[in-house]
Amino acid sequence: MNYPMIRYVLAWVLKVEGMLLALPVLVALIYGEKTEGLCYLGWMAVCLILGFLGSFRKPANTEIYQKDGFVAVALAWVVMSVFGAIPFMLTGEIPSFVDALFEIVSGFTTTGSSVLSDVEALSHVSLFWRSFSHWIGGMGVLVFILMLIPVKNGTQMNLMRAESPGPSVSKFVPRVRNTAILLYKIYIAMTAAQIVLLLISGMRGFDALCISFGSAGTGGFSVLNSGCASYTPLQQWIITVFVILFGVNFSFYYLVLCKKAGAAFGMQEVRAYILIVLASIGIITWNISSMYSGFPEALRQASFQVGSIITTTGYATTDFNLWPELSKYILVLLMFVGACAGSTGGGIKVSRILILFKTIRKELQSIAHPRSVKKIRMDGHPVEHEVLRSINVFFITYMVIFAISMLVISFDEFSMETNFTAVAATLNNIGPGMGDVGPMGNFGGYSMVSKAVLTFDMLAGRLELFPVLLLFCPSTWKKRG
């Protein structure tokens, strides 16, 4: 394993995190929060110093192979989370390290689950840092660093594959760095568009920034105890549209920009994603229509919650715990489906679900016609056996982690509904669950052990399980003989 290069990457993570902490310091200056601002400023200096010391000398060998890339990415997210949690403790707003770590991991992994019962008690600085962590983690901090550090193209691709959600990652353009730049251009443009539209709609500037950061990263931290329920219907519709857009595979936007709309709309995953969203909205609107004053309100509530849950954003405008069982069941299903691969959303991903159903159909056809030879295809291209194998292993690993997490947190004596959806919400990076961890509740009632397990689930879910699990594999750290 190339330890000097892993150290170099981690040092760059600290440097970038230090630079990003400058924005909360600026917020402190704007709102006159001197004490909190000094805490963030001091910790920013620590991150920058450690980062510059660690990256002062570039390793002679800058090659990172697949295993090294997985380890580097997993360690990068752990380091980024640990250092990102400290400001909450320094300000005294979240004094417990486990709680502070849970909160910032929830931010960086774009989960949106919280241990806080009164978010409005936080300073503007900490509210901004929570929401900004969604935006940082949405596209991935390593994707950002790939634009900065000069390393070999193979190294960049291994880092990108380890961090990007979905069954596979491909380059849009020949150089990985150019792909990273292109991704961020799309990401920034869409974020800016949402901010502008929310400002035009009358939302105050601080809220528009934080809500847009959460929408772009498909996070879910809000700045009000009421979530998004206090915003106007127009503002809620703007948020709904953008969270759904951010759940689309970014390859779609690249193809549209290249004037290849036919290829873009021909993507099976995007078509399936849109169909699932529309069907879910239609069924839930019909199911909850009697609970609201009219069809427009029922449609708005259904659209917002469906868009927020399937993209794993986690914002809420109503307590869907009170909805009929059919509507709640659909939302739970959407928690597992998740958004598209190559988006900022979490969950299992629509592409994996599609391939799973195609595999079942192929198996049934093989039983009915033993001599037939069928290939599973996506967008007209055959799905390689290696991809199928990795998806099958992913599902098995996912279920094992889910079961073990459920077992551990069940010692806290919450209901089955609460525990099941708590694990689903964290492992799929959604935010709210049902029961005591519903949109009007929080995760503060869990024990420290359970919070640690759920924190692990958030990291594992964001990094597609294997990079984090690799850290616990003894053979990972053995030197090659």
Side-chain angles (χ1 to χ4, degrees), residues 357-376 388:
F357 278 107
K358 287 174 179 283
T359 303
I360 294 171
R361 186 178 65 181
K362 176 178 176 290
E363 189 64 24
L364 290 173
Q365 288 175 339
S366 297
I367 294 171
H369 307 284
R371 295 184 179 180
S372 66
V373 178
K374 294 285 184 180
K375 272 279 190 181
I376 296 173
L388 294 175

Side-chain angles (χ1 to χ4, degrees), residues 16 47 57 69 76 95 111-112 115-116 140 143 204 220 222 234 259 263 271 306 321 362 439:
V16 169
C47 291
R57 179 174 295 177
T111 303
V115 296
L116 303 174
V143 173
R204 66 174 183 146
S222 59
L234 174 59
K259 298 180 180 179
R271 295 205 310 268
V306 167
N321 262 328
K362 176 178 176 290

Side-chain angles (χ1 to χ4, degrees), residues 193-203 234-235 238:
Q194 183 177 358
I195 293 171
V196 170
L197 288 174
L198 288 176
L199 288 173
I200 292 173
S201 72
M203 185 179 289
L234 174 59
Q235 291 164 353
I238 292 172

